[in-house]
Amino acid sequence: MKLPKLKHTQSGHFFLIAGPCAIESQDLALEIAEKLVAMTDRLQIPFVFKGSYRKANRTKLNSFTGIGDQVALEILKKVGDTFQVPTLTDFHESDEAERAAAYVDVLQIPAFLCRQTDMLTAAATTGKVVNVKKGQFMSGESMAFAVEKIKAVNPEAEVFLTDRGNSFGYGDLVVDYRNLPIMQAHGVPVVMDCTHSLQQPNQASGVTGGKPALIATIAKAAIAVGADGLFIETHPNPSDAKSDGANMLPLSQLEALLEKLIRIREAIS
């Protein structure tokens, strides 16, 4: 994956996409980024900072959606400039792609929107790297068409695919690890989303639940299967997070997990 400011690409390690679910404030984003940069530099893990400038897919009308698009996008740019790391954000309407691309290095297509042709082609035209999350209703084989749509518009576009589990009934997800090598066969890097794959959606409360105690399990299995990268949302105090706190890994636990994952990667190399 060719990204400006992406370091440690010769280390042979998996790459890491990590950060808070949503941009909550500049101070918090910089605090999280500083700690993530320090640990990934020490471990020589290629790192992309992730943060959503807006959360459009919420169950309840009064759920937190963001601090304002422009403010959050400017914070993402500040993170990238301050720490010299690439940044990633998702967008939710095709006409938002160009605007978001002015502030970040990677545009992400949310899982529920991975079949939306206008979204995929809009991301392709920006020239940015595009991460497409596999829909909870999609097979690994069917994600070939998302890659095909992007490449048809921009043959030089860099694309990677992210698995985030499949719907298992109405309120749970399961991970089918066969999808990782299946999607790698499409000729693109493949990432495992270790936090969203543990969501428990459609709860009666209107707030998505999760099983964060199993984040390490998902991550270890993904590395053992040969995932190119991992996606992990993290926060200093997940219980205080304004979005998806039920799924996020406490920031204090991430470095020890990454050390274990490196040993797994080395064991299978």
Side-chain angles (χ1 to χ4, degrees):
M1 181 172 59
K2 298 176 183 177
L3 276 172
K5 302 175 284 190
L6 187 67
K7 299 179 289 184
H8 312 305
T9 55
Q10 303 305 313
S11 68
H13 296 327
F14 53 88
F15 63 92
L16 176 69
I17 302 167
C21 176
I23 298 298
E24 299 180 20
S25 71
Q26 178 170 290
D27 287 348
L28 182 62
L30 292 172
E31 174 192 347
I32 294 172
E34 182 177 22
K35 292 179 179 178
L36 290 171
V37 169
M39 70 177 75
T40 53
D41 277 349
R42 184 181 77 79
L43 297 172
Q44 295 194 313
I45 294 173
F47 168 59
V48 179
F49 180 85
K50 179 269 171 188
S52 296
Y53 69 89
R54 181 176 1 107
K55 303 302 296 183
N57 177 24
R58 302 288 88 185
T59 301
K60 298 173 70 175
L61 182 62
N62 61 353
S63 294
F64 174 80
T65 57
I67 59 175
D69 293 359
Q70 189 62 33
V71 173
L73 285 167
E74 289 175 358
I75 291 171
L76 282 162
K77 187 174 189 306
K78 186 173 183 64
V79 167
D81 291 344
T82 300
F83 298 104
Q84 288 300 294
V85 293
T87 54
L88 173 152
T89 197
D90 45 344
F91 68 105
H92 301 87
E93 299 282 350
S94 58
D95 60 4
E96 296 174 3
E98 185 175 357
R99 180 186 183 189
Y103 295 89
V104 299
D105 304 290
V106 184
L107 292 176
Q108 179 172 285
I109 310 295
F112 282 126
L113 300 175
C114 69
R115 285 172 51 96
Q116 298 299 104
T117 301
D118 287 350
M119 292 277 293
L120 295 162
T121 56
T125 59
T126 67
K128 298 291 184 175
V129 175
V130 183
N131 176 32
V132 187
K133 283 202 168 181
K134 183 185 73 62
Q136 300 92 318
F137 44 87
M138 300 280 284
S139 68
E141 289 90 346
S142 62
M143 290 302 293
F145 301 108
V147 176
E148 182 181 286
K149 289 176 183 179
I150 293 168
K151 293 286 192 178
V153 172
N154 180 3
E156 303 303 316
E158 290 211 48
V159 185
F160 56 96
L161 300 175
T162 296
D163 195 349
R164 49 125 338 132
N166 282 80
S167 295
F168 186 66
Y170 291 119
D172 206 357
L173 298 169
V174 295
V175 177
D176 180 353
Y177 287 95
R178 294 176 299 177
N179 282 320
L180 275 63
I182 287 170
M183 292 194 295
Q184 285 171 330
H186 304 327
V188 298
V190 171
V191 176
M192 184 72 235
D193 183 339
C194 304
T195 43
H196 289 99
S197 60
L198 291 165
Q199 280 185 336
Q200 293 181 304
N202 303 316
Q203 300 299 302
S205 64
V207 178
T208 296
K211 295 181 178 179
L214 293 174
I215 291 171
T217 301
I218 298 293
K220 290 173 185 176
I223 293 300
V225 170
D228 300 290
L230 297 177
F231 181 112
I232 300 176
E233 288 190 339
T234 185
H235 192 284
N237 300 292
S239 61
D240 294 333
K242 296 184 178 183
S243 177
D244 279 3
N247 317 316
M248 283 196 275
L249 183 71
L251 186 56
S252 61
Q253 297 178 17
L254 181 57
E255 189 165 7
L257 173 59
L258 293 174
E259 290 173 345
K260 293 176 183 177
L261 297 173
I262 287 173
R263 292 198 292 273
I264 294 172
R265 180 65 169 249
E266 291 171 345
I268 66 170
S269 296

mmCIF file of all heavy atoms in Angstrom, residues 109-125:
data_model
loop_
_atom_site.group_PDB
_atom_site.id
_atom_site.type_symbol
_atom_site.label_atom_id
_atom_site.label_comp_id
_atom_site.label_asym_id
_atom_site.label_seq_id
_atom_site.Cartn_x
_atom_site.Cartn_y
_atom_site.Cartn_z
ATOM 1 N N ILE A 109 -15.162 3.419 2.403
ATOM 2 C CA ILE A 109 -16.561 3.163 2.072
ATOM 3 C C ILE A 109 -17.161 2.315 3.193
ATOM 4 O O ILE A 109 -16.703 1.190 3.435
ATOM 5 C CB ILE A 109 -16.700 2.403 0.735
ATOM 6 C CG1 ILE A 109 -15.887 3.089 -0.381
ATOM 7 C CG2 ILE A 109 -18.164 2.263 0.355
ATOM 8 C CD1 ILE A 109 -16.360 4.459 -0.764
ATOM 9 N N PRO A 110 -18.168 2.814 3.904
ATOM 10 C CA PRO A 110 -18.762 2.029 4.995
ATOM 11 C C PRO A 110 -19.371 0.723 4.492
ATOM 12 O O PRO A 110 -19.791 0.613 3.333
ATOM 13 C CB PRO A 110 -19.841 2.968 5.550
ATOM 14 C CG PRO A 110 -19.397 4.342 5.160
ATOM 15 C CD PRO A 110 -18.744 4.163 3.819
ATOM 16 N N ALA A 111 -19.429 -0.273 5.383
ATOM 17 C CA ALA A 111 -19.888 -1.607 5.002
ATOM 18 C C ALA A 111 -21.275 -1.601 4.387
ATOM 19 O O ALA A 111 -21.522 -2.273 3.373
ATOM 20 C CB ALA A 111 -19.844 -2.525 6.230
ATOM 21 N N PHE A 112 -22.204 -0.859 4.987
ATOM 22 C CA PHE A 112 -23.566 -0.845 4.462
ATOM 23 C C PHE A 112 -23.652 -0.218 3.073
ATOM 24 O O PHE A 112 -24.653 -0.374 2.377
ATOM 25 C CB PHE A 112 -24.498 -0.089 5.410
ATOM 26 C CG PHE A 112 -24.906 -0.879 6.620
ATOM 27 C CD1 PHE A 112 -24.713 -0.362 7.894
ATOM 28 C CD2 PHE A 112 -25.481 -2.136 6.505
ATOM 29 C CE1 PHE A 112 -25.081 -1.084 9.028
ATOM 30 C CE2 PHE A 112 -25.852 -2.869 7.618
ATOM 31 C CZ PHE A 112 -25.650 -2.340 8.891
ATOM 32 N N LEU A 113 -22.598 0.493 2.644
ATOM 33 C CA LEU A 113 -22.623 1.218 1.375
ATOM 34 C C LEU A 113 -21.669 0.623 0.341
ATOM 35 O O LEU A 113 -21.444 1.233 -0.703
ATOM 36 C CB LEU A 113 -22.272 2.697 1.616
ATOM 37 C CG LEU A 113 -23.205 3.448 2.566
ATOM 38 C CD1 LEU A 113 -22.688 4.856 2.832
ATOM 39 C CD2 LEU A 113 -24.626 3.508 2.003
ATOM 40 N N CYS A 114 -21.147 -0.568 0.600
ATOM 41 C CA CYS A 114 -20.094 -1.105 -0.255
ATOM 42 C C CYS A 114 -20.569 -1.483 -1.651
ATOM 43 O O CYS A 114 -19.745 -1.724 -2.536
ATOM 44 C CB CYS A 114 -19.417 -2.292 0.417
ATOM 45 S SG CYS A 114 -20.463 -3.762 0.561
ATOM 46 N N ARG A 115 -21.882 -1.557 -1.873
ATOM 47 C CA ARG A 115 -22.418 -1.837 -3.210
ATOM 48 C C ARG A 115 -22.812 -0.571 -3.968
ATOM 49 O O ARG A 115 -23.200 -0.653 -5.141
ATOM 50 C CB ARG A 115 -23.644 -2.752 -3.097
ATOM 51 C CG ARG A 115 -23.330 -4.204 -2.796
ATOM 52 C CD ARG A 115 -24.598 -5.008 -2.507
ATOM 53 N NE ARG A 115 -25.606 -4.836 -3.550
ATOM 54 C CZ ARG A 115 -25.791 -5.667 -4.574
ATOM 55 N NH1 ARG A 115 -25.032 -6.745 -4.686
ATOM 56 N NH2 ARG A 115 -26.732 -5.452 -5.462
ATOM 57 N N GLN A 116 -22.708 0.587 -3.319
ATOM 58 C CA GLN A 116 -23.162 1.837 -3.930
ATOM 59 C C GLN A 116 -22.166 2.302 -4.993
ATOM 60 O O GLN A 116 -21.098 2.836 -4.676
ATOM 61 C CB GLN A 116 -23.344 2.911 -2.865
ATOM 62 C CG GLN A 116 -24.407 2.576 -1.815
ATOM 63 C CD GLN A 116 -25.780 2.396 -2.439
ATOM 64 O OE1 GLN A 116 -26.261 1.271 -2.602
ATOM 65 N NE2 GLN A 116 -26.412 3.484 -2.804
ATOM 66 N N THR A 117 -22.522 2.144 -6.229
ATOM 67 C CA THR A 117 -21.621 2.462 -7.334
ATOM 68 C C THR A 117 -21.166 3.909 -7.289
ATOM 69 O O THR A 117 -19.977 4.209 -7.493
ATOM 70 C CB THR A 117 -22.300 2.156 -8.679
ATOM 71 O OG1 THR A 117 -22.657 0.770 -8.724
ATOM 72 C CG2 THR A 117 -21.372 2.483 -9.838
ATOM 73 N N ASP A 118 -22.064 4.828 -7.016
ATOM 74 C CA ASP A 118 -21.693 6.245 -6.987
ATOM 75 C C ASP A 118 -20.658 6.531 -5.905
ATOM 76 O O ASP A 118 -19.777 7.368 -6.087
ATOM 77 C CB ASP A 118 -22.931 7.119 -6.758
ATOM 78 C CG ASP A 118 -23.829 7.190 -7.980
ATOM 79 O OD1 ASP A 118 -23.411 6.721 -9.051
ATOM 80 O OD2 ASP A 118 -24.952 7.723 -7.861
ATOM 81 N N MET A 119 -20.765 5.855 -4.763
ATOM 82 C CA MET A 119 -19.788 6.035 -3.694
ATOM 83 C C MET A 119 -18.407 5.532 -4.122
ATOM 84 O O MET A 119 -17.383 6.209 -3.942
ATOM 85 C CB MET A 119 -20.243 5.276 -2.447
ATOM 86 C CG MET A 119 -21.472 5.828 -1.772
ATOM 87 S SD MET A 119 -21.084 7.195 -0.665
ATOM 88 C CE MET A 119 -20.150 6.359 0.602
ATOM 89 N N LEU A 120 -18.380 4.354 -4.700
ATOM 90 C CA LEU A 120 -17.115 3.753 -5.103
ATOM 91 C C LEU A 120 -16.429 4.556 -6.195
ATOM 92 O O LEU A 120 -15.215 4.808 -6.130
ATOM 93 C CB LEU A 120 -17.361 2.319 -5.576
ATOM 94 C CG LEU A 120 -17.861 1.346 -4.497
ATOM 95 C CD1 LEU A 120 -18.474 0.117 -5.136
ATOM 96 C CD2 LEU A 120 -16.729 0.952 -3.558
ATOM 97 N N THR A 121 -17.197 4.981 -7.175
ATOM 98 C CA THR A 121 -16.591 5.722 -8.274
ATOM 99 C C THR A 121 -16.191 7.128 -7.844
ATOM 100 O O THR A 121 -15.185 7.664 -8.315
ATOM 101 C CB THR A 121 -17.538 5.779 -9.481
ATOM 102 O OG1 THR A 121 -18.796 6.354 -9.089
ATOM 103 C CG2 THR A 121 -17.789 4.384 -10.042
ATOM 104 N N ALA A 122 -16.946 7.727 -6.933
ATOM 105 C CA ALA A 122 -16.576 9.054 -6.432
ATOM 106 C C ALA A 122 -15.249 8.991 -5.688
ATOM 107 O O ALA A 122 -14.391 9.873 -5.833
ATOM 108 C CB ALA A 122 -17.675 9.606 -5.519
ATOM 109 N N ALA A 123 -15.072 7.945 -4.881
ATOM 110 C CA ALA A 123 -13.801 7.786 -4.173
ATOM 111 C C ALA A 123 -12.661 7.573 -5.165
ATOM 112 O O ALA A 123 -11.562 8.134 -5.008
ATOM 113 C CB ALA A 123 -13.888 6.615 -3.204
ATOM 114 N N ALA A 124 -12.912 6.797 -6.209
ATOM 115 C CA ALA A 124 -11.874 6.510 -7.198
ATOM 116 C C ALA A 124 -11.391 7.761 -7.904
ATOM 117 O O ALA A 124 -10.192 7.910 -8.183
ATOM 118 C CB ALA A 124 -12.401 5.499 -8.215
ATOM 119 N N THR A 125 -12.303 8.675 -8.192
ATOM 120 C CA THR A 125 -11.928 9.870 -8.957
ATOM 121 C C THR A 125 -11.051 10.828 -8.158
ATOM 122 O O THR A 125 -10.382 11.682 -8.746
ATOM 123 C CB THR A 125 -13.179 10.628 -9.443
ATOM 124 O OG1 THR A 125 -13.969 11.015 -8.312
ATOM 125 C CG2 THR A 125 -14.000 9.778 -10.384
#
